[in-house]
Amino acid sequence: MYAEDVDLLIIGAGMAGLTAGARAVRDGLSVTVVEIAPDVGGSARFAGYAWTAPSHELMERHNPSGDVALKRALVDRFAEGIAWIRSLGVEAEDAQRVLSFGRGHRFDTNHYLDTCRRVIAEGGGEVLVRTDTERLLVERGVVLGADLRAADGTHRQVRARSTLVATGGFQGDMALRTAHVHPRADRMQLRSNPHSRGGGYRLATQAGAATGGDDAGFYGHLVPTGIPFADPADFVDLAALLQRARAAAQSAQRAVHRRDAGRPSDGQRAPRSAREQGAADRRCPGVP
């Protein structure tokens, strides 16, 4: 085992980890990024938008249990984040509606991820793939780095002034899904990368980190039933297909409501013409 010192150690090379690494090297910091998968990107490889609730009120309504500081930062600094994406030469389209309440920008996430990796390398940083983080180094309650193991079994210790755990969730771990999402969550198809198996969750909790509250919910999308994912990237197209189908159904439903607006409701009869009234009177003499 050999050791080295850096300003920032980042565990996880997805959207958050690569963004942090690129920003850090541009600020002149030394950076090491560690990724357990064969390539960088994580679940962001299957995404296509950066979006948020456009106001604190909507954010609170749709995410009442979220961390207050993080929610406020996302709303207040969202425009700054989009400007950062564009500053790397990655096109972000004009703002558009996302889901029923959000606003966001569509952009090429793969281009962005690869650009961040290049920025890190050109700035003297290091990105290690196929590398497992075995444990965080903790002294007197402070995280000072981590012990790493490469695919060939080589061990390496990285000590850092700051350590960022940005490994994503635990969607790829059936036991954690059934324990924290729902007892039948193992039946749900995985829309994220299969390497999100709770590594960061375990590292952090073993080091004494706090976790979110119970029943905090999870992020997912409805997709057409009975259609298997031949490729995780199919998720984006299938989710968009269902959203378009739902929008079309809602539009058709509104059209039916408008068409039926002038019709009598159940238990009522529409006004009849004088001729119809006379015919009814002849059929039912004595009935008012």
Side-chain angles (χ1 to χ4, degrees):
M1 177 185 292
Y2 64 95
E4 63 178 298
D5 293 335
V6 296
D7 293 314
L8 176 62
L9 171 63
I10 302 170
I11 303 169
M15 181 76 75
L18 290 176
T19 298
R23 291 291 291 263
V25 297
R26 284 206 166 179
D27 289 339
L29 302 180
S30 57
V31 174
T32 294
V33 184
V34 182
E35 172 59 49
I36 194 172
D39 194 11
V40 303
S43 297
R45 291 286 186 192
F46 315 131
Y49 289 85
W51 68 281
T52 182
S55 68
H56 295 299
E57 292 75 19
L58 280 172
M59 177 65 80
E60 185 63 28
R61 183 186 309 167
H62 291 277
N63 187 20
S65 302
D67 182 274
V68 174
L70 292 178
K71 289 190 295 186
R72 297 197 70 84
L74 181 56
V75 174
D76 292 340
R77 302 182 62 185
F78 182 71
E80 178 185 334
I82 298 302
W84 159 259
I85 292 172
R86 290 169 172 162
S87 76
L88 297 180
V90 178
E91 180 184 0
E93 298 178 6
D94 292 339
Q96 57 186 277
R97 184 178 180 181
V98 179
L99 300 182
S100 62
F101 66 93
R103 295 283 289 174
H105 301 259
R106 184 172 184 174
F107 70 107
D108 187 340
T109 54
N110 287 286
H111 182 198
Y112 175 77
L113 294 165
D114 294 335
T115 300
C116 284
R117 182 178 190 174
R118 176 176 53 79
V119 169
I120 294 170
E122 291 177 350
E126 185 177 28
V127 177
L128 305 174
V129 297
R130 300 181 187 272
T131 301
D132 185 24
T133 303
E134 294 189 320
R135 71 182 183 96
L136 297 177
L137 303 176
V138 182
E139 296 179 11
R140 299 180 181 179
V142 178
V143 176
L144 299 176
D147 283 336
L148 312 177
R149 178 173 51 82
D152 63 2
T154 303
H155 285 81
R156 175 177 182 178
Q157 185 176 95
V158 177
R159 300 182 71 86
R161 288 198 301 142
S162 298
T163 301
L164 172 64
V165 178
T167 56
F170 49 73
Q171 310 92 296
D173 188 287
M174 294 297 183
L176 288 175
R177 278 165 61 181
T178 55
H180 297 291
V181 177
H182 189 275
R184 297 183 179 179
D186 56 341
R187 302 183 185 183
M188 300 167 65
Q189 295 193 74
L190 186 64
R191 58 76 67 195
S192 70
N193 79 90
H195 300 283
S196 292
R197 297 190 292 264
Y201 169 81
R202 293 186 179 93
L203 287 170
T205 53
Q206 288 169 5
T211 61
D214 294 333
D215 299 322
F218 68 97
Y219 180 77
H221 276 282
L222 295 175
V223 296
T225 185
I227 301 179
F229 290 175
D231 186 314
D234 292 342
F235 162 77
V236 176
D237 291 334
L238 290 174
L241 173 64
L242 186 61
Q243 288 182 24
R244 289 195 295 269
R246 293 176 64 188
Q250 291 171 352
S251 178
Q253 188 177 35
R254 287 193 295 269
V256 170
H257 288 168
R258 287 194 298 270
R259 185 188 66 193
D260 293 343
R263 295 185 179 181
S265 61
D266 293 344
Q268 296 179 325
R269 298 187 64 186
R272 294 182 293 186
S273 66
R275 182 175 180 180
E276 290 172 331
Q277 183 66 48
D281 290 345
R282 287 193 296 273
R283 288 195 301 270
C284 306
V287 177

